Each structure stands twice: as C-alpha cells, then as structure tokens.
Amino acid sequence: MRVGRVVHAPDLTSDGRWPELAALVDEKSPVRSALSFELSTRRQGLGALTLTSTSVDGFSDADVERGYALAAHAALAVDAARRHEQFRNALASRDVIGQAKGVIMERFAVDDGRAFELLRELSQSTNIPVAEISRRLTADVGQSADSAKS
C-alpha cells in the first residue's frame, strides 16, 4: 500500500478551497470539519475515505494517524473485493468461451485452437471482447434450440 494524499479541512465553513460547499455546509449540515484519505494501492486509486466532525477542528494529530491506518485497511479490503470479483468474472468468461469454442468446433469441423483463433479474429475485427462474442454466440445457440423445440 502506498500512503495516499490527505485533505484536511479544519473548518469547512471558512475553508477557501470550496466556497460553494462551505455555503451549503453552513446552511444545511451540522458538519464543520472533514478529513479525507485517498484509498489506493501501488496499481490504482480506489476511492476515498472521508471522516467528518460536527466540531470545528474536530480532528487531532492522533486522529490523522488513526485515519491513515484505517484508510490502509479499507484500501486492502476494497482491493481484495475487486480482485475477487475480477476472478469470478474471469472464471465465468472462461466457461462461456469454452462453450462458444465447442459450438464453432461442431459447426465448422475445426479443432479447439482454430475455434479460439476464429473467436479472436472476430473480436479484433469488431472490437468486441472475446467473452462478449462468446456470450452472444452461446445465447443464439440457446435461442435456436428453443425455437426448434416449438
């Protein structure tokens, strides 16, 4: 984890960086100070963790240090959740690509290497990802089978 940028606004109502926000906060919110930490990894930015207080100067130096630790833990959790979702999507894509290769192998009497090559070529010529082409192909096969049953 890299240490991200911190933005500290001890008094939002008088902070000159965001005059429109200051006016809205003063009028419509009890929030008076804010402390924001960038959530990031070495690879990418993930968002921000923003803490607020109803007191002007609501955050001490110790709070800032605790905020760094909390932001690091939050960044790890967000990154792990994103990786897990990417892994699940990759597994789902692998399955549908395998199904599409099977359809192409059966229809065109080619081996699996050539079937994937055909998918890849179509992907490049249409600028549509292989997984999406595979989803469309297998959906079309499912619809054709349903029509044949009727």
Side-chain angles (χ1 to χ4, degrees), residues 22-140:
L24 283 171
V25 165
D26 192 33
E27 180 183 333
K28 300 184 182 249
S29 172
V31 173
R32 291 298 171 257
S33 59
L35 186 57
S36 293
F37 299 87
E38 179 184 22
L39 300 181
S40 61
T41 65
R42 286 190 171 102
R43 292 184 308 270
Q44 65 182 344
L46 301 171
L49 170 68
T50 300
L51 308 172
T52 60
S53 173
T54 56
S55 303
V56 171
D57 293 320
F59 299 101
S60 67
D61 290 341
D63 293 330
V64 173
E65 292 304 315
R66 284 190 287 271
Y68 273 119
L70 185 59
H73 287 289
L76 287 170
V78 170
D79 188 52
R82 282 189 178 179
R83 284 177 178 224
H84 177 73
E85 186 62 26
Q86 289 169 346
F87 179 71
R88 285 176 14 118
N89 290 339
L91 283 178
S93 293
R94 186 191 74 176
D95 288 346
V96 77
I97 291 168
Q99 292 168 5
K101 285 185 349 184
V103 169
I104 292 169
M105 291 166 62
E106 187 272 328
R107 285 193 184 165
F108 299 104
V110 296
D111 65 14
D112 76 336
R114 180 63 183 138
F116 184 76
E117 190 64 26
L118 290 169
L119 284 170
R120 189 185 63 74
E121 289 171 6
L122 183 58
S123 170
Q124 288 179 340
S125 68
T126 60
N127 201 27
I128 299 171
V130 169
E132 180 57 28
I133 289 172
S134 298
R135 279 187 201 87
R136 292 177 186 180
L137 177 61
T138 55
D140 288 347

Side-chain angles (χ1 to χ4, degrees), residues 3-19:
V3 176
R5 194 170 72 135
V6 175
V7 176
H8 184 198
D11 184 357
L12 284 168
T13 61
S14 65
D15 195 308
R17 292 176 283 187
W18 312 286

